[in-house]
mmCIF file of all heavy atoms in Angstrom:
data_model
loop_
_atom_site.group_PDB
_atom_site.id
_atom_site.type_symbol
_atom_site.label_atom_id
_atom_site.label_comp_id
_atom_site.label_asym_id
_atom_site.label_seq_id
_atom_site.Cartn_x
_atom_site.Cartn_y
_atom_site.Cartn_z
ATOM 1 N N ILE B 713 252.159 -98.594 173.809
ATOM 2 C CA ILE B 713 251.268 -99.263 172.853
ATOM 3 C C ILE B 713 251.581 -98.779 171.430
ATOM 4 O O ILE B 713 251.848 -99.562 170.522
ATOM 5 C CB ILE B 713 249.790 -99.002 173.204
ATOM 6 C CG1 ILE B 713 249.412 -99.772 174.465
ATOM 7 C CG2 ILE B 713 248.882 -99.419 172.044
ATOM 8 C CD1 ILE B 713 248.047 -99.445 175.005
ATOM 9 N N PHE B 714 251.584 -97.449 171.278
ATOM 10 C CA PHE B 714 251.894 -96.888 169.965
ATOM 11 C C PHE B 714 253.267 -97.350 169.494
ATOM 12 O O PHE B 714 253.446 -97.795 168.370
ATOM 13 C CB PHE B 714 251.849 -95.354 170.006
ATOM 14 C CG PHE B 714 250.508 -94.800 169.642
ATOM 15 C CD1 PHE B 714 249.546 -94.593 170.608
ATOM 16 C CD2 PHE B 714 250.203 -94.482 168.323
ATOM 17 C CE1 PHE B 714 248.304 -94.095 170.275
ATOM 18 C CE2 PHE B 714 248.957 -93.982 167.983
ATOM 19 C CZ PHE B 714 248.015 -93.788 168.966
ATOM 20 N N PHE B 716 255.218 -99.959 170.314
ATOM 21 C CA PHE B 716 255.417 -101.345 169.927
ATOM 22 C C PHE B 716 254.659 -101.711 168.663
ATOM 23 O O PHE B 716 255.189 -102.378 167.780
ATOM 24 C CB PHE B 716 255.037 -102.293 171.077
ATOM 25 C CG PHE B 716 256.136 -102.401 172.085
ATOM 26 C CD1 PHE B 716 255.996 -101.861 173.359
ATOM 27 C CD2 PHE B 716 257.345 -103.018 171.741
ATOM 28 C CE1 PHE B 716 257.026 -101.935 174.270
ATOM 29 C CE2 PHE B 716 258.376 -103.094 172.649
ATOM 30 C CZ PHE B 716 258.225 -102.545 173.923
ATOM 31 N N VAL B 717 253.415 -101.244 168.587
ATOM 32 C CA VAL B 717 252.640 -101.585 167.401
ATOM 33 C C VAL B 717 253.335 -101.052 166.151
ATOM 34 O O VAL B 717 253.501 -101.749 165.159
ATOM 35 C CB VAL B 717 251.202 -101.038 167.514
ATOM 36 C CG1 VAL B 717 250.479 -101.187 166.186
ATOM 37 C CG2 VAL B 717 250.448 -101.786 168.608
ATOM 38 N N ILE B 718 253.787 -99.791 166.259
ATOM 39 C CA ILE B 718 254.420 -99.210 165.077
ATOM 40 C C ILE B 718 255.792 -99.847 164.820
ATOM 41 O O ILE B 718 256.149 -100.153 163.681
ATOM 42 C CB ILE B 718 254.510 -97.677 165.225
ATOM 43 C CG1 ILE B 718 253.089 -97.097 165.136
ATOM 44 C CG2 ILE B 718 255.399 -97.070 164.138
ATOM 45 C CD1 ILE B 718 252.976 -95.644 165.482
ATOM 46 N N ARG B 719 256.541 -100.123 165.898
ATOM 47 C CA ARG B 719 257.861 -100.714 165.697
ATOM 48 C C ARG B 719 257.754 -102.087 165.054
ATOM 49 O O ARG B 719 258.483 -102.437 164.140
ATOM 50 C CB ARG B 719 258.610 -100.838 167.033
ATOM 51 C CG ARG B 719 260.083 -101.172 166.833
ATOM 52 C CD ARG B 719 260.748 -101.579 168.123
ATOM 53 N NE ARG B 719 260.221 -102.853 168.607
ATOM 54 C CZ ARG B 719 260.785 -103.546 169.588
ATOM 55 N NH1 ARG B 719 261.862 -103.070 170.214
ATOM 56 N NH2 ARG B 719 260.282 -104.680 169.985
ATOM 57 N N GLU B 720 256.776 -102.868 165.546
ATOM 58 C CA GLU B 720 256.634 -104.222 165.016
ATOM 59 C C GLU B 720 256.120 -104.203 163.581
ATOM 60 O O GLU B 720 256.416 -105.095 162.797
ATOM 61 C CB GLU B 720 255.661 -105.034 165.886
ATOM 62 C CG GLU B 720 256.147 -105.261 167.299
ATOM 63 C CD GLU B 720 257.294 -106.261 167.361
ATOM 64 O OE1 GLU B 720 257.142 -107.358 166.800
ATOM 65 O OE2 GLU B 720 258.341 -105.920 167.957
ATOM 66 N N GLY B 721 255.298 -103.198 163.277
ATOM 67 C CA GLY B 721 254.677 -103.197 161.957
ATOM 68 C C GLY B 721 255.497 -102.456 160.915
ATOM 69 O O GLY B 721 255.370 -102.711 159.722
ATOM 70 N N TYR B 722 256.345 -101.551 161.380
ATOM 71 C CA TYR B 722 257.045 -100.659 160.463
ATOM 72 C C TYR B 722 257.774 -101.357 159.309
ATOM 73 O O TYR B 722 257.681 -100.913 158.161
ATOM 74 C CB TYR B 722 258.004 -99.755 161.238
ATOM 75 C CG TYR B 722 258.688 -98.764 160.349
ATOM 76 C CD1 TYR B 722 257.990 -97.651 159.854
ATOM 77 C CD2 TYR B 722 260.011 -98.959 159.940
ATOM 78 C CE1 TYR B 722 258.600 -96.765 159.003
ATOM 79 C CE2 TYR B 722 260.621 -98.069 159.083
ATOM 80 C CZ TYR B 722 259.922 -96.971 158.619
ATOM 81 O OH TYR B 722 260.508 -96.106 157.762
ATOM 82 N N ILE B 724 257.172 -103.686 157.452
ATOM 83 C CA ILE B 724 256.399 -104.041 156.257
ATOM 84 C C ILE B 724 256.152 -102.814 155.388
ATOM 85 O O ILE B 724 256.118 -102.905 154.163
ATOM 86 C CB ILE B 724 255.066 -104.724 156.653
ATOM 87 C CG1 ILE B 724 254.594 -105.664 155.529
ATOM 88 C CG2 ILE B 724 253.948 -103.731 156.894
ATOM 89 C CD1 ILE B 724 255.331 -106.954 155.475
ATOM 90 N N PHE B 725 256.040 -101.640 156.054
ATOM 91 C CA PHE B 725 255.867 -100.412 155.275
ATOM 92 C C PHE B 725 257.099 -100.177 154.403
ATOM 93 O O PHE B 725 256.999 -99.796 153.245
ATOM 94 C CB PHE B 725 255.652 -99.198 156.180
ATOM 95 C CG PHE B 725 254.352 -99.232 156.941
ATOM 96 C CD1 PHE B 725 254.283 -98.746 158.237
ATOM 97 C CD2 PHE B 725 253.203 -99.739 156.353
ATOM 98 C CE1 PHE B 725 253.087 -98.769 158.933
ATOM 99 C CE2 PHE B 725 252.003 -99.771 157.048
ATOM 100 C CZ PHE B 725 251.947 -99.291 158.341
ATOM 101 N N VAL B 728 257.105 -103.281 151.537
ATOM 102 C CA VAL B 728 256.199 -103.207 150.392
ATOM 103 C C VAL B 728 255.820 -101.762 150.042
ATOM 104 O O VAL B 728 255.236 -101.514 148.997
ATOM 105 C CB VAL B 728 254.900 -104.025 150.605
ATOM 106 C CG1 VAL B 728 255.219 -105.471 150.901
ATOM 107 C CG2 VAL B 728 254.064 -103.412 151.711
ATOM 108 N N GLY B 729 256.138 -100.858 150.942
ATOM 109 C CA GLY B 729 255.774 -99.461 150.677
ATOM 110 C C GLY B 729 254.426 -99.139 151.297
ATOM 111 O O GLY B 729 253.485 -99.936 151.224
ATOM 112 N N LEU B 730 254.354 -97.968 151.916
ATOM 113 C CA LEU B 730 253.132 -97.575 152.618
ATOM 114 C C LEU B 730 251.941 -97.517 151.666
ATOM 115 O O LEU B 730 250.855 -98.008 151.953
ATOM 116 C CB LEU B 730 253.343 -96.210 153.299
ATOM 117 C CG LEU B 730 252.168 -95.690 154.134
ATOM 118 C CD1 LEU B 730 251.880 -96.638 155.294
ATOM 119 C CD2 LEU B 730 252.453 -94.293 154.651
ATOM 120 N N GLY B 731 252.182 -96.913 150.482
ATOM 121 C CA GLY B 731 251.106 -96.776 149.504
ATOM 122 C C GLY B 731 250.570 -98.129 149.090
ATOM 123 O O GLY B 731 249.360 -98.360 149.057
ATOM 124 N N LYS B 732 251.477 -99.044 148.790
ATOM 125 C CA LYS B 732 251.057 -100.370 148.345
ATOM 126 C C LYS B 732 250.302 -101.102 149.447
ATOM 127 O O LYS B 732 249.368 -101.842 149.201
ATOM 128 C CB LYS B 732 252.282 -101.199 147.928
ATOM 129 C CG LYS B 732 252.648 -101.032 146.490
ATOM 130 C CD LYS B 732 253.068 -102.403 145.916
ATOM 131 C CE LYS B 732 253.217 -102.347 144.413
ATOM 132 N NZ LYS B 732 254.609 -102.521 143.979
ATOM 133 N N PHE B 733 250.773 -100.881 150.702
ATOM 134 C CA PHE B 733 250.115 -101.536 151.825
ATOM 135 C C PHE B 733 248.684 -101.019 151.979
ATOM 136 O O PHE B 733 247.741 -101.783 152.093
ATOM 137 C CB PHE B 733 250.914 -101.291 153.116
ATOM 138 C CG PHE B 733 250.363 -102.012 154.313
ATOM 139 C CD1 PHE B 733 250.653 -103.361 154.540
ATOM 140 C CD2 PHE B 733 249.542 -101.353 155.216
ATOM 141 C CE1 PHE B 733 250.134 -104.030 155.627
ATOM 142 C CE2 PHE B 733 249.018 -102.025 156.310
ATOM 143 C CZ PHE B 733 249.316 -103.371 156.519
ATOM 144 N N LEU B 734 248.546 -99.679 151.963
ATOM 145 C CA LEU B 734 247.229 -99.092 152.216
ATOM 146 C C LEU B 734 246.277 -99.265 151.041
ATOM 147 O O LEU B 734 245.074 -99.365 151.221
ATOM 148 C CB LEU B 734 247.370 -97.605 152.539
ATOM 149 C CG LEU B 734 248.046 -97.261 153.864
ATOM 150 C CD1 LEU B 734 248.159 -95.748 154.017
ATOM 151 C CD2 LEU B 734 247.286 -97.851 155.044
ATOM 152 N N LEU B 735 246.835 -99.262 149.808
ATOM 153 C CA LEU B 735 245.958 -99.258 148.637
ATOM 154 C C LEU B 735 245.948 -100.580 147.876
ATOM 155 O O LEU B 735 245.151 -100.757 146.951
ATOM 156 C CB LEU B 735 246.352 -98.115 147.694
ATOM 157 C CG LEU B 735 246.254 -96.724 148.321
ATOM 158 C CD1 LEU B 735 246.780 -95.660 147.371
ATOM 159 C CD2 LEU B 735 244.815 -96.417 148.721
ATOM 160 N N GLY B 736 246.806 -101.501 148.289
ATOM 161 C CA GLY B 736 246.825 -102.794 147.604
ATOM 162 C C GLY B 736 245.508 -103.519 147.803
ATOM 163 O O GLY B 736 244.903 -103.477 148.869
ATOM 164 N N TRP B 739 244.993 -109.221 149.789
ATOM 165 C CA TRP B 739 245.554 -109.626 151.086
ATOM 166 C C TRP B 739 245.742 -111.142 151.036
ATOM 167 O O TRP B 739 244.831 -111.900 151.324
ATOM 168 C CB TRP B 739 244.597 -109.211 152.202
ATOM 169 C CG TRP B 739 245.076 -109.573 153.579
ATOM 170 C CD1 TRP B 739 244.719 -110.683 154.301
ATOM 171 C CD2 TRP B 739 245.982 -108.845 154.393
ATOM 172 N NE1 TRP B 739 245.346 -110.687 155.517
ATOM 173 C CE2 TRP B 739 246.136 -109.565 155.595
ATOM 174 C CE3 TRP B 739 246.701 -107.652 154.222
ATOM 175 C CZ2 TRP B 739 246.977 -109.135 156.631
ATOM 176 C CZ3 TRP B 739 247.515 -107.230 155.256
ATOM 177 C CH2 TRP B 739 247.651 -107.962 156.443
ATOM 178 N N PHE B 746 250.407 -108.069 150.520
ATOM 179 C CA PHE B 746 249.902 -107.401 151.721
ATOM 180 C C PHE B 746 249.116 -106.140 151.368
ATOM 181 O O PHE B 746 249.500 -105.043 151.735
ATOM 182 C CB PHE B 746 251.053 -107.055 152.670
ATOM 183 C CG PHE B 746 251.808 -108.270 153.138
ATOM 184 C CD1 PHE B 746 253.081 -108.552 152.645
ATOM 185 C CD2 PHE B 746 251.241 -109.126 154.066
ATOM 186 C CE1 PHE B 746 253.773 -109.664 153.079
ATOM 187 C CE2 PHE B 746 251.934 -110.249 154.508
ATOM 188 C CZ PHE B 746 253.202 -110.523 154.005
ATOM 189 N N GLY B 747 248.065 -106.298 150.609
ATOM 190 C CA GLY B 747 247.220 -105.144 150.297
ATOM 191 C C GLY B 747 246.087 -105.060 151.302
ATOM 192 O O GLY B 747 245.223 -105.929 151.365
ATOM 193 N N ALA B 748 246.115 -104.012 152.120
ATOM 194 C CA ALA B 748 245.150 -103.925 153.219
ATOM 195 C C ALA B 748 243.861 -103.219 152.839
ATOM 196 O O ALA B 748 242.949 -103.110 153.668
ATOM 197 C CB ALA B 748 245.793 -103.232 154.415
ATOM 198 N N LEU B 749 243.789 -102.722 151.601
ATOM 199 C CA LEU B 749 242.611 -101.930 151.240
ATOM 200 C C LEU B 749 241.269 -102.644 151.486
ATOM 201 O O LEU B 749 240.342 -102.032 152.028
ATOM 202 C CB LEU B 749 242.707 -101.460 149.779
ATOM 203 C CG LEU B 749 241.648 -100.436 149.379
ATOM 204 C CD1 LEU B 749 241.785 -99.161 150.191
ATOM 205 C CD2 LEU B 749 241.715 -100.126 147.892
ATOM 206 N N PRO B 750 241.134 -103.934 151.125
ATOM 207 C CA PRO B 750 239.844 -104.589 151.382
ATOM 208 C C PRO B 750 239.465 -104.553 152.862
ATOM 209 O O PRO B 750 238.307 -104.336 153.206
ATOM 210 C CB PRO B 750 240.072 -106.038 150.927
ATOM 211 C CG PRO B 750 241.284 -106.012 150.074
ATOM 212 C CD PRO B 750 242.110 -104.829 150.474
ATOM 213 N N LEU B 751 240.472 -104.753 153.717
ATOM 214 C CA LEU B 751 240.195 -104.785 155.157
ATOM 215 C C LEU B 751 239.823 -103.393 155.657
ATOM 216 O O LEU B 751 238.911 -103.222 156.467
ATOM 217 C CB LEU B 751 241.426 -105.303 155.911
ATOM 218 C CG LEU B 751 241.967 -106.636 155.410
ATOM 219 C CD1 LEU B 751 243.287 -106.980 156.094
ATOM 220 C CD2 LEU B 751 240.950 -107.742 155.658
ATOM 221 N N ILE B 752 240.577 -102.387 155.152
ATOM 222 C CA ILE B 752 240.295 -101.008 155.585
ATOM 223 C C ILE B 752 238.906 -100.595 155.131
ATOM 224 O O ILE B 752 238.104 -100.070 155.905
ATOM 225 C CB ILE B 752 241.367 -100.047 155.014
ATOM 226 C CG1 ILE B 752 242.737 -100.377 155.621
ATOM 227 C CG2 ILE B 752 240.993 -98.600 155.291
ATOM 228 C CD1 ILE B 752 243.897 -99.630 154.974
ATOM 229 N N LEU B 753 238.609 -100.871 153.847
ATOM 230 C CA LEU B 753 237.296 -100.490 153.322
ATOM 231 C C LEU B 753 236.166 -101.174 154.083
ATOM 232 O O LEU B 753 235.153 -100.559 154.425
ATOM 233 C CB LEU B 753 237.200 -100.858 151.838
ATOM 234 C CG LEU B 753 237.774 -99.839 150.857
ATOM 235 C CD1 LEU B 753 237.513 -100.307 149.429
ATOM 236 C CD2 LEU B 753 237.147 -98.471 151.088
ATOM 237 N N THR B 754 236.364 -102.459 154.351
ATOM 238 C CA THR B 754 235.322 -103.193 155.071
ATOM 239 C C THR B 754 235.101 -102.578 156.451
ATOM 240 O O THR B 754 233.963 -102.371 156.886
ATOM 241 C CB THR B 754 235.699 -104.676 155.198
ATOM 242 O OG1 THR B 754 235.876 -105.197 153.890
ATOM 243 C CG2 THR B 754 234.626 -105.449 155.923
ATOM 244 N N SER B 755 236.212 -102.275 157.130
ATOM 245 C CA SER B 755 236.068 -101.666 158.449
ATOM 246 C C SER B 755 235.305 -100.354 158.362
ATOM 247 O O SER B 755 234.429 -100.074 159.183
ATOM 248 C CB SER B 755 237.444 -101.423 159.083
ATOM 249 O OG SER B 755 237.904 -102.603 159.714
ATOM 250 N N LEU B 756 235.650 -99.545 157.349
ATOM 251 C CA LEU B 756 234.955 -98.268 157.213
ATOM 252 C C LEU B 756 233.468 -98.474 156.912
ATOM 253 O O LEU B 756 232.612 -97.783 157.456
ATOM 254 C CB LEU B 756 235.604 -97.420 156.115
ATOM 255 C CG LEU B 756 236.996 -96.884 156.463
ATOM 256 C CD1 LEU B 756 237.561 -96.040 155.324
ATOM 257 C CD2 LEU B 756 236.957 -96.063 157.750
ATOM 258 N N VAL B 759 231.687 -99.352 160.051
ATOM 259 C CA VAL B 759 231.484 -98.198 160.929
ATOM 260 C C VAL B 759 230.358 -97.330 160.396
ATOM 261 O O VAL B 759 229.402 -97.004 161.110
ATOM 262 C CB VAL B 759 232.781 -97.368 161.042
ATOM 263 C CG1 VAL B 759 232.498 -96.042 161.732
ATOM 264 C CG2 VAL B 759 233.834 -98.147 161.808
ATOM 265 N N ILE B 896 234.666 -99.545 165.214
ATOM 266 C CA ILE B 896 235.845 -99.845 164.386
ATOM 267 C C ILE B 896 236.752 -100.873 165.058
ATOM 268 O O ILE B 896 237.437 -101.638 164.397
ATOM 269 C CB ILE B 896 236.626 -98.568 164.014
ATOM 270 C CG1 ILE B 896 237.492 -98.873 162.785
ATOM 271 C CG2 ILE B 896 237.493 -98.065 165.142
ATOM 272 C CD1 ILE B 896 237.945 -97.650 162.054
ATOM 273 N N GLY B 897 236.718 -100.908 166.377
ATOM 274 C CA GLY B 897 237.609 -101.837 167.070
ATOM 275 C C GLY B 897 236.989 -103.178 167.371
ATOM 276 O O GLY B 897 237.690 -104.112 167.763
ATOM 277 N N ALA B 922 237.331 -107.582 158.172
ATOM 278 C CA ALA B 922 237.652 -106.265 158.706
ATOM 279 C C ALA B 922 239.003 -106.322 159.405
ATOM 280 O O ALA B 922 239.513 -107.400 159.702
ATOM 281 C CB ALA B 922 236.578 -105.812 159.679
ATOM 282 N N MET B 923 239.581 -105.149 159.657
ATOM 283 C CA MET B 923 240.931 -105.111 160.230
ATOM 284 C C MET B 923 241.058 -105.885 161.543
ATOM 285 O O MET B 923 241.882 -106.802 161.635
ATOM 286 C CB MET B 923 241.393 -103.669 160.406
ATOM 287 C CG MET B 923 241.755 -102.990 159.102
ATOM 288 S SD MET B 923 242.481 -101.355 159.356
ATOM 289 C CE MET B 923 241.033 -100.383 159.604
ATOM 290 N N PRO B 924 240.273 -105.560 162.573
ATOM 291 C CA PRO B 924 240.536 -106.220 163.852
ATOM 292 C C PRO B 924 240.283 -107.722 163.810
ATOM 293 O O PRO B 924 241.072 -108.493 164.366
ATOM 294 C CB PRO B 924 239.578 -105.524 164.820
ATOM 295 C CG PRO B 924 238.592 -104.805 163.991
ATOM 296 C CD PRO B 924 239.214 -104.562 162.669
ATOM 297 N N ILE B 927 243.105 -109.538 162.051
ATOM 298 C CA ILE B 927 244.284 -109.641 162.916
ATOM 299 C C ILE B 927 244.107 -110.794 163.889
ATOM 300 O O ILE B 927 244.980 -111.653 164.053
ATOM 301 C CB ILE B 927 244.506 -108.326 163.700
ATOM 302 C CG1 ILE B 927 244.828 -107.183 162.732
ATOM 303 C CG2 ILE B 927 245.639 -108.496 164.713
ATOM 304 C CD1 ILE B 927 244.905 -105.818 163.393
ATOM 305 N N VAL B 940 254.439 -109.367 160.832
ATOM 306 C CA VAL B 940 254.756 -107.941 160.784
ATOM 307 C C VAL B 940 253.590 -107.167 160.161
ATOM 308 O O VAL B 940 253.178 -106.103 160.657
ATOM 309 C CB VAL B 940 256.051 -107.714 159.985
ATOM 310 C CG1 VAL B 940 256.324 -106.219 159.824
ATOM 311 C CG2 VAL B 940 257.229 -108.401 160.672
ATOM 312 N N ALA B 941 253.022 -107.740 159.091
ATOM 313 C CA ALA B 941 251.920 -107.055 158.405
ATOM 314 C C ALA B 941 250.716 -106.896 159.318
ATOM 315 O O ALA B 941 249.984 -105.907 159.250
ATOM 316 C CB ALA B 941 251.531 -107.829 157.144
ATOM 317 N N LEU B 942 250.503 -107.867 160.207
ATOM 318 C CA LEU B 942 249.372 -107.765 161.135
ATOM 319 C C LEU B 942 249.583 -106.591 162.099
ATOM 320 O O LEU B 942 248.651 -105.863 162.428
ATOM 321 C CB LEU B 942 249.195 -109.074 161.904
ATOM 322 C CG LEU B 942 248.750 -110.275 161.060
ATOM 323 C CD1 LEU B 942 248.545 -111.503 161.942
ATOM 324 C CD2 LEU B 942 247.474 -109.970 160.288
ATOM 325 N N PHE B 943 250.833 -106.442 162.544
ATOM 326 C CA PHE B 943 251.124 -105.294 163.406
ATOM 327 C C PHE B 943 250.901 -103.979 162.655
ATOM 328 O O PHE B 943 250.378 -103.012 163.199
ATOM 329 C CB PHE B 943 252.548 -105.367 163.957
ATOM 330 C CG PHE B 943 252.639 -106.182 165.209
ATOM 331 C CD1 PHE B 943 252.916 -107.543 165.159
ATOM 332 C CD2 PHE B 943 252.416 -105.591 166.450
ATOM 333 C CE1 PHE B 943 252.984 -108.297 166.319
ATOM 334 C CE2 PHE B 943 252.481 -106.338 167.610
ATOM 335 C CZ PHE B 943 252.776 -107.702 167.544
ATOM 336 N N ALA B 944 251.308 -103.978 161.407
ATOM 337 C CA ALA B 944 251.101 -102.768 160.600
ATOM 338 C C ALA B 944 249.612 -102.466 160.474
ATOM 339 O O ALA B 944 249.171 -101.315 160.570
ATOM 340 C CB ALA B 944 251.721 -102.954 159.220
ATOM 341 N N LEU B 945 248.841 -103.524 160.290
ATOM 342 C CA LEU B 945 247.395 -103.364 160.222
ATOM 343 C C LEU B 945 246.866 -102.783 161.543
ATOM 344 O O LEU B 945 245.991 -101.916 161.565
ATOM 345 C CB LEU B 945 246.770 -104.741 159.955
ATOM 346 C CG LEU B 945 245.442 -104.811 159.238
ATOM 347 C CD1 LEU B 945 245.457 -104.009 157.954
ATOM 348 C CD2 LEU B 945 245.106 -106.280 158.949
ATOM 349 N N GLY B 946 247.439 -103.299 162.620
ATOM 350 C CA GLY B 946 247.072 -102.779 163.937
ATOM 351 C C GLY B 946 247.373 -101.299 164.049
ATOM 352 O O GLY B 946 246.584 -100.529 164.613
ATOM 353 N N ALA B 947 248.519 -100.897 163.489
ATOM 354 C CA ALA B 947 248.883 -99.481 163.537
ATOM 355 C C ALA B 947 247.863 -98.647 162.771
ATOM 356 O O ALA B 947 247.442 -97.575 163.227
ATOM 357 C CB ALA B 947 250.284 -99.284 162.963
ATOM 358 N N VAL B 948 247.441 -99.141 161.620
ATOM 359 C CA VAL B 948 246.425 -98.421 160.837
ATOM 360 C C VAL B 948 245.133 -98.290 161.646
ATOM 361 O O VAL B 948 244.526 -97.222 161.742
ATOM 362 C CB VAL B 948 246.154 -99.144 159.499
ATOM 363 C CG1 VAL B 948 244.984 -98.489 158.760
ATOM 364 C CG2 VAL B 948 247.407 -99.147 158.641
ATOM 365 N N LEU B 949 244.742 -99.383 162.275
ATOM 366 C CA LEU B 949 243.531 -99.389 163.091
ATOM 367 C C LEU B 949 243.638 -98.361 164.220
ATOM 368 O O LEU B 949 242.701 -97.606 164.506
ATOM 369 C CB LEU B 949 243.342 -100.794 163.672
ATOM 370 C CG LEU B 949 242.069 -101.082 164.443
ATOM 371 C CD1 LEU B 949 240.845 -100.890 163.572
ATOM 372 C CD2 LEU B 949 242.097 -102.513 164.982
ATOM 373 N N LEU B 950 244.808 -98.349 164.836
ATOM 374 C CA LEU B 950 245.052 -97.424 165.933
ATOM 375 C C LEU B 950 244.905 -95.971 165.469
ATOM 376 O O LEU B 950 244.318 -95.138 166.158
ATOM 377 C CB LEU B 950 246.471 -97.670 166.455
ATOM 378 C CG LEU B 950 246.809 -97.290 167.887
ATOM 379 C CD1 LEU B 950 245.800 -97.879 168.851
ATOM 380 C CD2 LEU B 950 248.214 -97.790 168.216
ATOM 381 N N VAL B 951 245.422 -95.696 164.291
ATOM 382 C CA VAL B 951 245.331 -94.335 163.758
ATOM 383 C C VAL B 951 243.866 -93.956 163.515
ATOM 384 O O VAL B 951 243.419 -92.884 163.907
ATOM 385 C CB VAL B 951 246.156 -94.194 162.467
ATOM 386 C CG1 VAL B 951 245.837 -92.879 161.761
ATOM 387 C CG2 VAL B 951 247.642 -94.290 162.786
ATOM 388 N N PHE B 952 243.123 -94.892 162.912
ATOM 389 C CA PHE B 952 241.697 -94.609 162.694
ATOM 390 C C PHE B 952 240.990 -94.323 164.014
ATOM 391 O O PHE B 952 240.227 -93.373 164.139
ATOM 392 C CB PHE B 952 241.020 -95.802 162.000
ATOM 393 C CG PHE B 952 241.103 -95.741 160.504
ATOM 394 C CD1 PHE B 952 242.037 -96.490 159.798
ATOM 395 C CD2 PHE B 952 240.228 -94.933 159.794
ATOM 396 C CE1 PHE B 952 242.116 -96.430 158.430
ATOM 397 C CE2 PHE B 952 240.290 -94.863 158.410
ATOM 398 C CZ PHE B 952 241.242 -95.616 157.732
ATOM 399 N N ALA B 953 241.250 -95.167 165.017
ATOM 400 C CA ALA B 953 240.579 -94.998 166.309
ATOM 401 C C ALA B 953 240.966 -93.663 166.936
ATOM 402 O O ALA B 953 240.125 -92.949 167.486
ATOM 403 C CB ALA B 953 240.937 -96.158 167.232
ATOM 404 N N ALA B 954 242.265 -93.319 166.832
ATOM 405 C CA ALA B 954 242.726 -92.062 167.425
ATOM 406 C C ALA B 954 242.066 -90.872 166.743
ATOM 407 O O ALA B 954 241.644 -89.918 167.408
ATOM 408 C CB ALA B 954 244.252 -91.961 167.321
ATOM 409 N N VAL B 955 241.960 -90.953 165.424
ATOM 410 C CA VAL B 955 241.312 -89.855 164.692
ATOM 411 C C VAL B 955 239.879 -89.669 165.192
ATOM 412 O O VAL B 955 239.422 -88.552 165.447
ATOM 413 C CB VAL B 955 241.332 -90.134 163.169
ATOM 414 C CG1 VAL B 955 240.375 -89.201 162.441
ATOM 415 C CG2 VAL B 955 242.745 -89.993 162.635
ATOM 416 N N LEU B 956 239.186 -90.782 165.392
ATOM 417 C CA LEU B 956 237.803 -90.687 165.866
ATOM 418 C C LEU B 956 237.730 -90.058 167.253
ATOM 419 O O LEU B 956 236.867 -89.234 167.540
ATOM 420 C CB LEU B 956 237.155 -92.068 165.886
ATOM 421 C CG LEU B 956 236.832 -92.654 164.522
ATOM 422 C CD1 LEU B 956 236.248 -94.046 164.645
ATOM 423 C CD2 LEU B 956 235.865 -91.739 163.779
#
Side-chain angles (χ1 to χ4, degrees):
Chain B
I713 288 172
F714 268 89
F716 279 111
V717 170
I718 290 171
R719 192 192 67 168
E720 296 288 308
Y722 183 74
I724 207 77
F725 293 144
V728 303
L730 183 62
K732 271 220 170 113
F733 184 81
L734 292 178
L735 300 175
W739 180 263
F746 299 106
L749 190 62
L751 307 173
I752 295 171
L753 276 184
T754 302
S755 276
L756 290 181
V759 169
I896 200 161
M923 286 187 279
I927 296 173
V940 175
L942 293 183
F943 274 91
L945 207 51
V948 173
L949 186 61
L950 205 51
V951 168
F952 272 101
V955 166
L956 288 178

